[in-house]
Amino acid sequence: MKLAEYLRYDATALAELVAAGEVTAAELLELARRRMRQVNPRLNAVVIETADSADVQVQGALTGPFAGVPFLIKDLDQEYRGYPTTCGCQALRNDVATENALVTDRFLNAGLVIMGKTNTPELGAKGITEPDLWGPCRNPWDTSRTPGGSSGGSAAAVAAGIVPAAGANDGGGSIRIPAATTGLVGHKPSRGLAPYGPQAGESMFGMATQGVLSRTVRDSAGLLDAIVAANPMADFQVARPRQSFSTAITRRPKKLRIGYSGHSAIRGEATPTAAAALEATAQLLTDLGHHVEEVRPPYDDKALAETFLTIWFGKVCEQVDEIKVRTGAGDRDFEADTLAIAEIGRANGVTGMLRALGQVPAYTHAMERYYERFDYFMTPTLAQAPIKIGALDTPAPLRAAARAAHRLHGGKAMVRSGLIDQMIEDNLGWVPYTQLANLTGRPAISVPSYWTPDGLPLGISFNGPFGSDGALLSLAAQLEEAAPWIDRFPAKA
């Protein structure tokens, strides 16, 4: 197989070729490595190579639905025994995993050949991927722009053709944002479907979930089938789907009622770019026979953002403290932004965290009332085209002030200064739509149904009721069939 051929296939097709004996796992691994050598110096998507273990895998008898397909896992919450899990953090650079994450085991059991780990922002705490430890990851559609975060490295690697799919996870949009910036499919499963552990239980009180980024809906469905299975040790148990996700996507949806909005309390009305993406997808859905109707958002995303960030900041505070105790790391081993987030989380205290958690059911109830009238809620995944690398850099004086505030426990002063409102506007202003699915535990999917006039992807997101993962994937498959995207490939990659 030539490299040009390799780039045309998705994971499902490559697995079929391996099963038919038309290509070997070793040959595919070499093609993936060749592609990585071509593009990774520009993109900085793969930060840790797992060459020894990958070579052992392809020399053995691989089994599973994706046997022999090259794959990458995210360097955050997807531990791989014998390799560090840095989470983009200097303090964890040498934190070698002693056992696999459950999701990593399930990737391996599916026959995937894990060849490396991908770039992520420090502790996954941003919607961009520009950690001090590894440096910025770049978007293959335009290397001056971000591939989003926190699964930005995985997205860049898949979009550039290093691998046809890669591991990802999503605590506030970290699968869907990178999918939208790079022209990929990004599905955030319902709470409890995809496994966390055994290193820790559900992350972010169940708001974070494991998953993948892929170029095709059938890959997303098949890989979800591979990682969804009973987990008796999970804190939160959920009924398994009655049919596989791969089966679900073969059945086209009935006529659906879809409400959509680009309005955001953070940004106001949709930007022209986001509005154009919505209008184009709404027309496509109408042409497919669905009822599509513009609505006002059934929740206040500014209030939701404050709730989300209060919980997020508290979690980062706990993470920083735990890492310091476990590794002996000091403040110098964390980015200034991370220390500022942790200190705000400390200042909010237990009462602030509990108050925020107590607000979550209101968003769930609001969405369930919405789903009494509509099947799905559609928004742009991004409020604008992917932003430039460095656009959210904190100026040096503010970084110094953040370190001082952390050292002096000045979080309350930071809160009074209005810093949280500024962080909402800066960090969530371009991605104000994605946190809803995490807070409510409901599924959501971003599909690459729109490209800007400049040729940049801008995904469209669908949020659905709890357990509607198969139906969401079926709708995505219908859109993919009506307006195929697999042949859209970044020229600069």
PDB file of all heavy atoms in Angstrom, residues 195-221:
ATOM      1  N   PRO A 195     -15.813   4.167  29.662  1.00  0.00           N
ATOM      2  CA  PRO A 195     -15.245   3.884  30.988  1.00  0.00           C
ATOM      3  C   PRO A 195     -14.147   4.828  31.451  1.00  0.00           C
ATOM      4  O   PRO A 195     -13.272   5.227  30.675  1.00  0.00           O
ATOM      5  CB  PRO A 195     -14.664   2.480  30.803  1.00  0.00           C
ATOM      6  CG  PRO A 195     -14.237   2.457  29.363  1.00  0.00           C
ATOM      7  CD  PRO A 195     -15.255   3.279  28.624  1.00  0.00           C
ATOM      8  N   TYR A 196     -14.194   5.172  32.731  1.00  0.00           N
ATOM      9  CA  TYR A 196     -13.055   5.760  33.430  1.00  0.00           C
ATOM     10  C   TYR A 196     -12.504   4.707  34.390  1.00  0.00           C
ATOM     11  O   TYR A 196     -13.152   3.711  34.685  1.00  0.00           O
ATOM     12  CB  TYR A 196     -13.458   7.014  34.195  1.00  0.00           C
ATOM     13  CG  TYR A 196     -13.146   8.291  33.433  1.00  0.00           C
ATOM     14  CD1 TYR A 196     -14.046   8.806  32.515  1.00  0.00           C
ATOM     15  CD2 TYR A 196     -11.937   8.945  33.594  1.00  0.00           C
ATOM     16  CE1 TYR A 196     -13.764   9.948  31.802  1.00  0.00           C
ATOM     17  CE2 TYR A 196     -11.629  10.096  32.886  1.00  0.00           C
ATOM     18  CZ  TYR A 196     -12.549  10.589  31.989  1.00  0.00           C
ATOM     19  OH  TYR A 196     -12.253  11.718  31.276  1.00  0.00           O
ATOM     20  N   GLY A 197     -11.285   4.938  34.879  1.00  0.00           N
ATOM     21  CA  GLY A 197     -10.676   4.034  35.843  1.00  0.00           C
ATOM     22  C   GLY A 197      -9.647   3.145  35.160  1.00  0.00           C
ATOM     23  O   GLY A 197      -9.464   3.216  33.951  1.00  0.00           O
ATOM     24  N   PRO A 198      -8.957   2.277  35.951  1.00  0.00           N
ATOM     25  CA  PRO A 198      -9.150   2.112  37.396  1.00  0.00           C
ATOM     26  C   PRO A 198      -8.375   3.116  38.254  1.00  0.00           C
ATOM     27  O   PRO A 198      -8.487   3.095  39.470  1.00  0.00           O
ATOM     28  CB  PRO A 198      -8.605   0.696  37.629  1.00  0.00           C
ATOM     29  CG  PRO A 198      -7.502   0.577  36.628  1.00  0.00           C
ATOM     30  CD  PRO A 198      -7.988   1.319  35.409  1.00  0.00           C
ATOM     31  N   GLN A 199      -7.607   4.013  37.598  1.00  0.00           N
ATOM     32  CA  GLN A 199      -6.815   4.972  38.372  1.00  0.00           C
ATOM     33  C   GLN A 199      -7.706   5.870  39.226  1.00  0.00           C
ATOM     34  O   GLN A 199      -7.341   6.268  40.322  1.00  0.00           O
ATOM     35  CB  GLN A 199      -5.950   5.835  37.436  1.00  0.00           C
ATOM     36  CG  GLN A 199      -4.790   5.089  36.793  1.00  0.00           C
ATOM     37  CD  GLN A 199      -5.210   4.284  35.582  1.00  0.00           C
ATOM     38  OE1 GLN A 199      -6.387   4.271  35.205  1.00  0.00           O
ATOM     39  NE2 GLN A 199      -4.270   3.600  34.956  1.00  0.00           N
ATOM     40  N   ALA A 200      -8.863   6.218  38.710  1.00  0.00           N
ATOM     41  CA  ALA A 200      -9.807   7.075  39.434  1.00  0.00           C
ATOM     42  C   ALA A 200     -11.197   6.808  38.888  1.00  0.00           C
ATOM     43  O   ALA A 200     -11.353   6.201  37.821  1.00  0.00           O
ATOM     44  CB  ALA A 200      -9.446   8.550  39.264  1.00  0.00           C
ATOM     45  N   GLY A 201     -12.211   7.248  39.621  1.00  0.00           N
ATOM     46  CA  GLY A 201     -13.578   7.093  39.156  1.00  0.00           C
ATOM     47  C   GLY A 201     -13.927   8.145  38.126  1.00  0.00           C
ATOM     48  O   GLY A 201     -13.049   8.777  37.523  1.00  0.00           O
ATOM     49  N   GLU A 202     -15.212   8.356  37.918  1.00  0.00           N
ATOM     50  CA  GLU A 202     -15.656   9.328  36.935  1.00  0.00           C
ATOM     51  C   GLU A 202     -15.049  10.701  37.233  1.00  0.00           C
ATOM     52  O   GLU A 202     -15.049  11.155  38.368  1.00  0.00           O
ATOM     53  CB  GLU A 202     -17.176   9.450  36.967  1.00  0.00           C
ATOM     54  CG  GLU A 202     -17.902   8.266  36.360  1.00  0.00           C
ATOM     55  CD  GLU A 202     -19.388   8.546  36.262  1.00  0.00           C
ATOM     56  OE1 GLU A 202     -19.988   8.975  37.264  1.00  0.00           O
ATOM     57  OE2 GLU A 202     -19.948   8.355  35.176  1.00  0.00           O
ATOM     58  N   SER A 203     -14.542  11.322  36.194  1.00  0.00           N
ATOM     59  CA  SER A 203     -13.901  12.621  36.362  1.00  0.00           C
ATOM     60  C   SER A 203     -14.933  13.740  36.336  1.00  0.00           C
ATOM     61  O   SER A 203     -15.969  13.636  35.671  1.00  0.00           O
ATOM     62  CB  SER A 203     -12.887  12.840  35.230  1.00  0.00           C
ATOM     63  OG  SER A 203     -12.208  14.062  35.377  1.00  0.00           O
ATOM     64  N   MET A 204     -14.666  14.799  37.085  1.00  0.00           N
ATOM     65  CA  MET A 204     -15.541  15.981  37.092  1.00  0.00           C
ATOM     66  C   MET A 204     -16.982  15.615  37.485  1.00  0.00           C
ATOM     67  O   MET A 204     -17.947  16.068  36.886  1.00  0.00           O
ATOM     68  CB  MET A 204     -15.538  16.663  35.729  1.00  0.00           C
ATOM     69  CG  MET A 204     -14.308  17.486  35.432  1.00  0.00           C
ATOM     70  SD  MET A 204     -14.371  19.099  36.221  1.00  0.00           S
ATOM     71  CE  MET A 204     -15.702  19.867  35.320  1.00  0.00           C
ATOM     72  N   PHE A 205     -17.114  14.759  38.514  1.00  0.00           N
ATOM     73  CA  PHE A 205     -18.438  14.377  39.003  1.00  0.00           C
ATOM     74  C   PHE A 205     -19.296  13.780  37.882  1.00  0.00           C
ATOM     75  O   PHE A 205     -20.509  13.966  37.835  1.00  0.00           O
ATOM     76  CB  PHE A 205     -19.148  15.577  39.632  1.00  0.00           C
ATOM     77  CG  PHE A 205     -18.344  16.229  40.722  1.00  0.00           C
ATOM     78  CD1 PHE A 205     -17.578  17.353  40.461  1.00  0.00           C
ATOM     79  CD2 PHE A 205     -18.327  15.701  42.009  1.00  0.00           C
ATOM     80  CE1 PHE A 205     -16.820  17.951  41.458  1.00  0.00           C
ATOM     81  CE2 PHE A 205     -17.570  16.294  43.011  1.00  0.00           C
ATOM     82  CZ  PHE A 205     -16.813  17.421  42.745  1.00  0.00           C
ATOM     83  N   GLY A 206     -18.658  13.058  36.985  1.00  0.00           N
ATOM     84  CA  GLY A 206     -19.372  12.431  35.875  1.00  0.00           C
ATOM     85  C   GLY A 206     -19.542  13.312  34.668  1.00  0.00           C
ATOM     86  O   GLY A 206     -20.160  12.879  33.674  1.00  0.00           O
ATOM     87  N   MET A 207     -19.018  14.523  34.703  1.00  0.00           N
ATOM     88  CA  MET A 207     -19.187  15.442  33.566  1.00  0.00           C
ATOM     89  C   MET A 207     -18.235  15.124  32.416  1.00  0.00           C
ATOM     90  O   MET A 207     -18.492  15.498  31.268  1.00  0.00           O
ATOM     91  CB  MET A 207     -18.992  16.883  34.026  1.00  0.00           C
ATOM     92  CG  MET A 207     -20.048  17.337  35.015  1.00  0.00           C
ATOM     93  SD  MET A 207     -19.722  18.988  35.643  1.00  0.00           S
ATOM     94  CE  MET A 207     -20.867  19.025  37.033  1.00  0.00           C
ATOM     95  N   ALA A 208     -17.126  14.448  32.715  1.00  0.00           N
ATOM     96  CA  ALA A 208     -16.156  14.095  31.677  1.00  0.00           C
ATOM     97  C   ALA A 208     -16.394  12.666  31.214  1.00  0.00           C
ATOM     98  O   ALA A 208     -16.800  11.801  31.993  1.00  0.00           O
ATOM     99  CB  ALA A 208     -14.736  14.242  32.211  1.00  0.00           C
ATOM    100  N   THR A 209     -16.146  12.414  29.949  1.00  0.00           N
ATOM    101  CA  THR A 209     -16.353  11.080  29.398  1.00  0.00           C
ATOM    102  C   THR A 209     -15.279  10.769  28.370  1.00  0.00           C
ATOM    103  O   THR A 209     -14.719  11.677  27.743  1.00  0.00           O
ATOM    104  CB  THR A 209     -17.751  10.969  28.761  1.00  0.00           C
ATOM    105  OG1 THR A 209     -17.977   9.632  28.318  1.00  0.00           O
ATOM    106  CG2 THR A 209     -17.905  11.917  27.595  1.00  0.00           C
ATOM    107  N   GLN A 210     -14.973   9.485  28.226  1.00  0.00           N
ATOM    108  CA  GLN A 210     -14.006   9.032  27.237  1.00  0.00           C
ATOM    109  C   GLN A 210     -14.662   8.922  25.869  1.00  0.00           C
ATOM    110  O   GLN A 210     -15.892   8.821  25.758  1.00  0.00           O
ATOM    111  CB  GLN A 210     -13.447   7.664  27.636  1.00  0.00           C
ATOM    112  CG  GLN A 210     -12.767   7.612  28.991  1.00  0.00           C
ATOM    113  CD  GLN A 210     -11.354   8.173  28.974  1.00  0.00           C
ATOM    114  OE1 GLN A 210     -10.927   8.824  28.006  1.00  0.00           O
ATOM    115  NE2 GLN A 210     -10.615   7.947  30.051  1.00  0.00           N
ATOM    116  N   GLY A 211     -13.836   8.931  24.818  1.00  0.00           N
ATOM    117  CA  GLY A 211     -14.364   8.795  23.470  1.00  0.00           C
ATOM    118  C   GLY A 211     -13.259   8.819  22.438  1.00  0.00           C
ATOM    119  O   GLY A 211     -12.097   8.517  22.743  1.00  0.00           O
ATOM    120  N   VAL A 212     -13.616   9.179  21.215  1.00  0.00           N
ATOM    121  CA  VAL A 212     -12.657   9.192  20.106  1.00  0.00           C
ATOM    122  C   VAL A 212     -12.946  10.376  19.194  1.00  0.00           C
ATOM    123  O   VAL A 212     -14.022  10.985  19.245  1.00  0.00           O
ATOM    124  CB  VAL A 212     -12.728   7.890  19.269  1.00  0.00           C
ATOM    125  CG1 VAL A 212     -12.387   6.673  20.115  1.00  0.00           C
ATOM    126  CG2 VAL A 212     -14.092   7.727  18.608  1.00  0.00           C
ATOM    127  N   LEU A 213     -11.987  10.653  18.342  1.00  0.00           N
ATOM    128  CA  LEU A 213     -12.156  11.559  17.210  1.00  0.00           C
ATOM    129  C   LEU A 213     -11.899  10.749  15.948  1.00  0.00           C
ATOM    130  O   LEU A 213     -10.964   9.935  15.900  1.00  0.00           O
ATOM    131  CB  LEU A 213     -11.170  12.730  17.302  1.00  0.00           C
ATOM    132  CG  LEU A 213     -11.553  13.796  18.329  1.00  0.00           C
ATOM    133  CD1 LEU A 213     -10.326  14.544  18.818  1.00  0.00           C
ATOM    134  CD2 LEU A 213     -12.563  14.774  17.714  1.00  0.00           C
ATOM    135  N   SER A 214     -12.731  10.956  14.933  1.00  0.00           N
ATOM    136  CA  SER A 214     -12.594  10.155  13.719  1.00  0.00           C
ATOM    137  C   SER A 214     -12.993  10.980  12.500  1.00  0.00           C
ATOM    138  O   SER A 214     -13.557  12.063  12.614  1.00  0.00           O
ATOM    139  CB  SER A 214     -13.474   8.903  13.804  1.00  0.00           C
ATOM    140  OG  SER A 214     -14.833   9.247  13.627  1.00  0.00           O
ATOM    141  N   ARG A 215     -12.744  10.399  11.328  1.00  0.00           N
ATOM    142  CA  ARG A 215     -13.112  11.067  10.075  1.00  0.00           C
ATOM    143  C   ARG A 215     -14.490  10.639   9.592  1.00  0.00           C
ATOM    144  O   ARG A 215     -15.085  11.317   8.751  1.00  0.00           O
ATOM    145  CB  ARG A 215     -12.071  10.759   9.005  1.00  0.00           C
ATOM    146  CG  ARG A 215     -10.694  11.380   9.303  1.00  0.00           C
ATOM    147  CD  ARG A 215      -9.663  10.953   8.273  1.00  0.00           C
ATOM    148  NE  ARG A 215     -10.034  11.381   6.930  1.00  0.00           N
ATOM    149  CZ  ARG A 215      -9.640  10.769   5.826  1.00  0.00           C
ATOM    150  NH1 ARG A 215      -8.895   9.679   5.901  1.00  0.00           N
ATOM    151  NH2 ARG A 215     -10.017  11.223   4.645  1.00  0.00           N
ATOM    152  N   THR A 216     -14.988   9.499  10.089  1.00  0.00           N
ATOM    153  CA  THR A 216     -16.278   9.001   9.611  1.00  0.00           C
ATOM    154  C   THR A 216     -17.174   8.613  10.780  1.00  0.00           C
ATOM    155  O   THR A 216     -16.710   8.233  11.850  1.00  0.00           O
ATOM    156  CB  THR A 216     -16.103   7.776   8.695  1.00  0.00           C
ATOM    157  OG1 THR A 216     -15.523   6.699   9.447  1.00  0.00           O
ATOM    158  CG2 THR A 216     -15.223   8.102   7.506  1.00  0.00           C
ATOM    159  N   VAL A 217     -18.476   8.668  10.533  1.00  0.00           N
ATOM    160  CA  VAL A 217     -19.439   8.294  11.563  1.00  0.00           C
ATOM    161  C   VAL A 217     -19.326   6.810  11.883  1.00  0.00           C
ATOM    162  O   VAL A 217     -19.441   6.396  13.044  1.00  0.00           O
ATOM    163  CB  VAL A 217     -20.872   8.651  11.109  1.00  0.00           C
ATOM    164  CG1 VAL A 217     -21.895   8.164  12.127  1.00  0.00           C
ATOM    165  CG2 VAL A 217     -21.003  10.157  10.911  1.00  0.00           C
ATOM    166  N   ARG A 218     -19.087   5.974  10.865  1.00  0.00           N
ATOM    167  CA  ARG A 218     -19.011   4.540  11.146  1.00  0.00           C
ATOM    168  C   ARG A 218     -17.815   4.207  12.036  1.00  0.00           C
ATOM    169  O   ARG A 218     -17.897   3.285  12.843  1.00  0.00           O
ATOM    170  CB  ARG A 218     -18.990   3.737   9.851  1.00  0.00           C
ATOM    171  CG  ARG A 218     -17.731   3.855   9.004  1.00  0.00           C
ATOM    172  CD  ARG A 218     -17.804   2.901   7.825  1.00  0.00           C
ATOM    173  NE  ARG A 218     -16.578   2.898   7.038  1.00  0.00           N
ATOM    174  CZ  ARG A 218     -16.351   2.044   6.046  1.00  0.00           C
ATOM    175  NH1 ARG A 218     -17.275   1.136   5.715  1.00  0.00           N
ATOM    176  NH2 ARG A 218     -15.214   2.075   5.372  1.00  0.00           N
ATOM    177  N   ASP A 219     -16.720   4.970  11.921  1.00  0.00           N
ATOM    178  CA  ASP A 219     -15.598   4.753  12.833  1.00  0.00           C
ATOM    179  C   ASP A 219     -15.963   5.157  14.254  1.00  0.00           C
ATOM    180  O   ASP A 219     -15.635   4.456  15.215  1.00  0.00           O
ATOM    181  CB  ASP A 219     -14.371   5.540  12.368  1.00  0.00           C
ATOM    182  CG  ASP A 219     -13.567   4.809  11.305  1.00  0.00           C
ATOM    183  OD1 ASP A 219     -13.970   3.693  10.916  1.00  0.00           O
ATOM    184  OD2 ASP A 219     -12.539   5.362  10.860  1.00  0.00           O
ATOM    185  N   SER A 220     -16.635   6.294  14.394  1.00  0.00           N
ATOM    186  CA  SER A 220     -17.055   6.732  15.726  1.00  0.00           C
ATOM    187  C   SER A 220     -17.985   5.709  16.358  1.00  0.00           C
ATOM    188  O   SER A 220     -17.869   5.377  17.545  1.00  0.00           O
ATOM    189  CB  SER A 220     -17.744   8.099  15.657  1.00  0.00           C
ATOM    190  OG  SER A 220     -16.804   9.126  15.437  1.00  0.00           O
ATOM    191  N   ALA A 221     -18.916   5.168  15.563  1.00  0.00           N
ATOM    192  CA  ALA A 221     -19.851   4.169  16.076  1.00  0.00           C
ATOM    193  C   ALA A 221     -19.136   2.872  16.434  1.00  0.00           C
ATOM    194  O   ALA A 221     -19.351   2.294  17.516  1.00  0.00           O
ATOM    195  CB  ALA A 221     -20.945   3.905  15.040  1.00  0.00           C
TER     196      ALA A 221
END
